[in-house]
Amino acid sequence: MEACRRAGVSGILCSLSLLCVLLDLQLDGVLGATQVEIEHHLEMGRKLLAAGQLAEALSHYHSAVDGDSKNYLTYYKRAAVFLAMGKSKSALPDLTKAIQLKPDFLAARLQRGNILLKQGNSQEAQEDFEIVLQRNPESEEAHELLRKTRELEELQEEANAAYHQGDYSTTVNLLERVIEISPWDPESRELRADCYIRMGDPQKAIQDLTPTTRLRNDNRAAFLKLSRLHYSLGEHHDSLNQIRECLKLDQDDKECLSHYRQVKKLSKQLDSAEELIQEQRFHDAIGKYESVMKTEPNIKHYTNLAKERICFCLVQEKMALEAIDACSEAHERDPRNAHILRDRAEAYILNQDYEKAVDNYQEARELDGDSNEIREGLEKAQRLLKLSRKRDYYKILGVGRNANKQEITKAYRKLAQQWHPDNFQSESEKKEAEKKFIDIASAKEVLTDPEMRQKFDQGEDPLDPENQQGGGGGHGGQGWPFHFNPFESGGSFHFKFQYN
């Protein structure tokens, strides 16, 4: 029994020895294959980097680093690819690792110091440059970068002092050079953005804040500030885009969520109002813009926009007096808005106040001399003014410019009965009645004919002999619309007039 036990133990020991030998052989094979693969990845990475295929080169360097985490050159080469791709944040840890593996690797120290300098970390950058100069005092690059580092420290101190003294203009001037030296420093851009906001220049603040969303990780504060700035400028779509970026980083961020709800509500109302205008549902659009003013009563841009568009909609609805009031209020709030002046001019035309229409169009043209719409509107108003000094068919019948055919016919019948020459006895009264009766009939003919009415509304009298082709070819040349004048026969007028 004892012999069997000893034989069993011996067998196990032999098996374990054999297993160790086999594992050792396999491990040697694996290590040998991995080294070959590492060399392959490094060579492919070099070739692809030279060819400008950065993403592919980076993939090979990743594999090389995974295969050999003790090779400082592999980290350095991967850092070079990251820098070529504009990813300085990713390059920094690789350069640090290369320096840890080889502390006297001066090229990596110079590169890391340069990145730190551009990020605004002057103290850490200075340490790298000083170490380089200790080992290589003749390095011109290190001397120049060290000089810039010291200049940056001085400028940062001066800029902070000026800012705390409330001298924002000086702060901006100093930060211009700071940002030139350290373009990847978010703090300098944020400080300058704050100065621009205090100086009343939100557009420049936006230009400075936008890069900081990439320079800082999880920069929700910048996205929120950008959204609020765009919102204050009336750029509600841009505001919505920025606040959505904040919520992508943290969907539960209270400040971003609260602002998002406000911007989304207002933006939806504004877009809906413009869609209603496109659909020519002007009355509904007015209601929507009134809701806009309730949603955001404090920011001037949105209130002014709502007033402007309500003015426009009232003109389209041909509500002359209401439009004049609304447009006048909008003009007081935004006196250099050519669109408001254009719309008020059209409201005056609806009200048959052509002199004021011309004045408004002329003022609008001074503000926007390149607008064909304003130029054509001015020409129309001038024609209507000239025409009104001759015959205004709307005034003759006593109807508004938005009167329909039924209203025009009703007014015509009433006036034709009133001014029919048979109603008058003396010769002078009959002549006066005849003249008025002809004007009334002419007005009815023009305003009940869609083509003739359109011409008149554009400032052209279709019955004016000057506007007739061929001289006397038009019946308007005789001043009577029915091709003959029944009052020219003399004597009494014993015919029965049909009031069509």
Side-chain angles (χ1 to χ4, degrees):
M1 180 66 71
E2 183 65 22
C4 289
R5 188 181 65 80
R6 290 178 180 175
V9 172
S10 178
I12 292 171
L13 291 174
C14 289
S15 297
L16 287 172
S17 299
L18 180 60
L19 181 60
C20 288
V21 170
L22 289 172
L23 286 173
D24 191 44
L25 289 172
Q26 288 180 355
L27 187 59
D28 286 343
V30 170
L31 289 174
T34 302
Q35 190 58 43
V36 170
E37 288 176 3
I38 291 170
E39 294 299 331
H40 170 73
H41 286 308
L42 289 172
E43 180 61 19
M44 287 300 298
R46 184 188 66 78
K47 288 180 178 179
L48 290 166
L49 178 59
Q53 296 175 256
L54 303 180
E56 293 83 352
L58 183 60
S59 178
H60 282 285
Y61 281 121
H62 282 326
S63 298
V65 168
D66 292 341
D68 184 3
S69 61
K70 301 297 182 181
N71 189 332
Y72 71 95
L73 276 175
T74 306
Y75 286 103
Y76 183 73
K77 289 174 181 178
R78 188 169 69 172
V81 179
F82 278 130
L83 288 171
M85 297 175 76
K87 297 181 178 181
S88 59
K89 285 183 183 178
S90 299
L92 204 55
D94 275 359
L95 291 170
T96 298
K97 185 65 176 178
I99 293 167
Q100 288 173 351
L101 292 170
K102 188 174 175 57
D104 61 347
F105 190 12
L106 301 187
R109 282 198 181 275
L110 267 178
Q111 194 66 267
R112 186 176 71 172
N114 196 21
I115 292 172
L116 291 168
L117 176 61
K118 288 182 177 179
Q119 290 181 341
N121 297 327
S122 55
Q123 187 173 354
E124 293 179 37
Q126 184 171 332
E127 290 174 5
D128 272 336
F129 300 142
E130 287 175 346
I131 290 172
V132 171
L133 289 171
Q134 285 173 7
R135 296 178 178 271
N136 182 13
E138 304 302 320
S139 174
E140 293 183 5
E141 184 179 3
H143 277 293
E144 176 60 20
L145 289 171
L146 184 59
R147 184 194 65 77
K148 282 188 177 181
T149 303
R150 289 168 177 163
E151 179 187 359
L152 177 62
E153 284 185 329
E154 292 176 5
L155 288 168
Q156 287 172 330
E157 288 178 8
E158 290 178 29
N160 285 320
Y163 176 79
H164 289 300
Q165 291 170 5
D167 188 351
Y168 304 119
S169 178
T170 298
T171 307
V172 166
N173 291 334
L174 290 166
L175 288 173
E176 184 175 351
R177 176 57 180 160
V178 169
I179 293 169
E180 185 181 329
I181 296 172
S182 53
W184 303 337
D185 175 19
E187 289 185 10
S188 298
R189 291 182 181 275
E190 288 164 353
L191 183 60
R192 190 167 70 173
D194 187 68
C195 290
Y196 281 134
I197 291 170
R198 294 173 184 273
M199 293 166 68
D201 196 341
Q203 288 288 5
K204 286 186 177 179
I206 288 171
Q207 291 174 10
D208 264 339
L209 281 173
T210 300
T212 69
T213 60
R214 299 185 300 273
L215 294 172
R216 274 193 203 280
N217 294 325
D218 190 16
N219 200 348
R220 282 173 284 160
F223 283 120
L224 178 59
K225 188 172 284 189
L226 281 168
S227 180
R228 285 173 171 167
L229 285 170
H230 282 297
Y231 185 82
S232 70
L233 293 170
E235 299 164 354
H236 57 98
H237 288 135
D238 290 328
S239 176
L240 196 57
N241 290 336
Q242 294 294 341
I243 204 63
R244 281 174 174 157
E245 292 299 321
C246 176
L247 292 173
K248 285 179 184 178
L249 296 171
D250 182 358
Q251 62 181 2
D252 297 321
D253 186 292
K254 290 183 179 179
E255 283 191 281
C256 289
L257 191 58
S258 174
H259 186 60
Y260 168 73
R261 288 170 178 158
Q262 170 71 7
V263 180
K264 184 181 179 182
K265 181 180 179 181
L266 183 70
S267 187
K268 187 176 180 180
Q269 289 175 335
L270 289 166
D271 290 343
S272 176
E274 286 304 307
E275 286 172 9
L276 290 168
I277 288 175
Q278 292 300 316
E279 295 168 5
Q280 298 189 352
R281 294 167 58 189
F282 301 111
H283 179 75
D284 293 336
I286 290 170
K288 191 63 71 174
Y289 271 115
E290 287 172 346
S291 297
V292 166
M293 290 188 286
K294 291 177 182 177
T295 299
E296 184 47 85
N298 300 318
I299 293 183
K300 181 179 177 182
H301 174 88
Y302 298 111
T303 307
N304 288 359
L305 175 63
K307 296 285 186 184
E308 174 192 339
R309 299 305 274 162
I310 288 172
C311 153
F312 171 80
C313 290
L314 288 169
V315 171
Q316 299 305 309
E317 290 281 275
K318 300 190 183 302
M319 300 172 69
L321 295 177
E322 293 89 341
I324 289 170
D325 289 343
C327 295
S328 296
E329 183 183 356
H331 178 60
E332 286 179 9
R333 298 177 66 93
D334 192 3
R336 297 191 60 78
N337 189 319
H339 292 159
I340 295 172
L341 288 163
R342 172 205 64 195
D343 292 337
R344 189 168 69 170
E346 288 298 316
Y348 280 130
I349 287 174
L350 287 172
N351 202 44
Q352 302 179 43
D353 193 341
Y354 305 119
E355 288 188 11
K356 287 184 178 178
V358 169
D359 291 343
N360 273 250
Y361 263 126
Q362 286 176 335
E363 190 176 347
R365 193 174 185 184
E366 289 175 4
L367 296 172
D368 187 0
D370 297 327
S371 171
N372 289 329
E373 184 182 16
I374 290 174
R375 178 182 56 79
E376 292 169 1
L378 176 59
E379 291 172 356
K380 179 183 73 173
Q382 289 170 333
R383 288 195 303 268
L384 288 168
L385 178 59
K386 181 180 178 182
L387 198 60
S388 69
R389 290 167 178 167
K390 295 180 180 180
R391 282 193 301 187
D392 186 331
Y393 295 125
Y394 290 105
K395 284 187 176 180
I396 288 170
L397 293 183
V399 297
R401 296 185 72 86
N402 58 341
N404 58 36
K405 186 174 182 179
Q406 184 179 0
E407 292 169 333
I408 290 167
T409 303
K410 182 179 179 181
Y412 160 72
R413 287 174 177 170
K414 180 179 178 181
L415 290 170
Q417 288 175 342
Q418 178 183 345
W419 289 99
H420 195 284
D422 284 350
N423 296 333
F424 299 91
Q425 300 300 318
S426 70
E427 190 64 27
S428 61
E429 287 178 338
K430 284 183 181 291
K431 286 186 177 181
E432 178 65 21
E434 177 186 339
K435 181 178 180 301
K436 286 187 176 294
F437 194 87
I438 290 172
D439 285 343
I440 292 164
S442 298
K444 185 254 184 183
E445 181 188 18
V446 170
L447 298 184
T448 55
D449 182 295
E451 185 177 346
M452 295 174 73
R453 183 175 181 176
Q454 184 179 11
K455 287 184 178 180
F456 184 74
D457 285 344
Q458 293 300 318
E460 176 185 343
D461 187 349
L463 301 183
D464 190 333
E466 295 179 3
N467 295 326
Q468 302 297 321
Q469 294 182 353
H475 51 257
Q478 302 300 320
W480 179 251
F482 303 113
H483 303 282
F484 72 97
N485 187 339
F487 306 118
E488 289 181 350
S489 57
S492 299
F493 308 103
H494 300 298
F495 61 90
K496 183 178 180 181
F497 192 87
Q498 299 293 327
Y499 303 108
N500 296 327

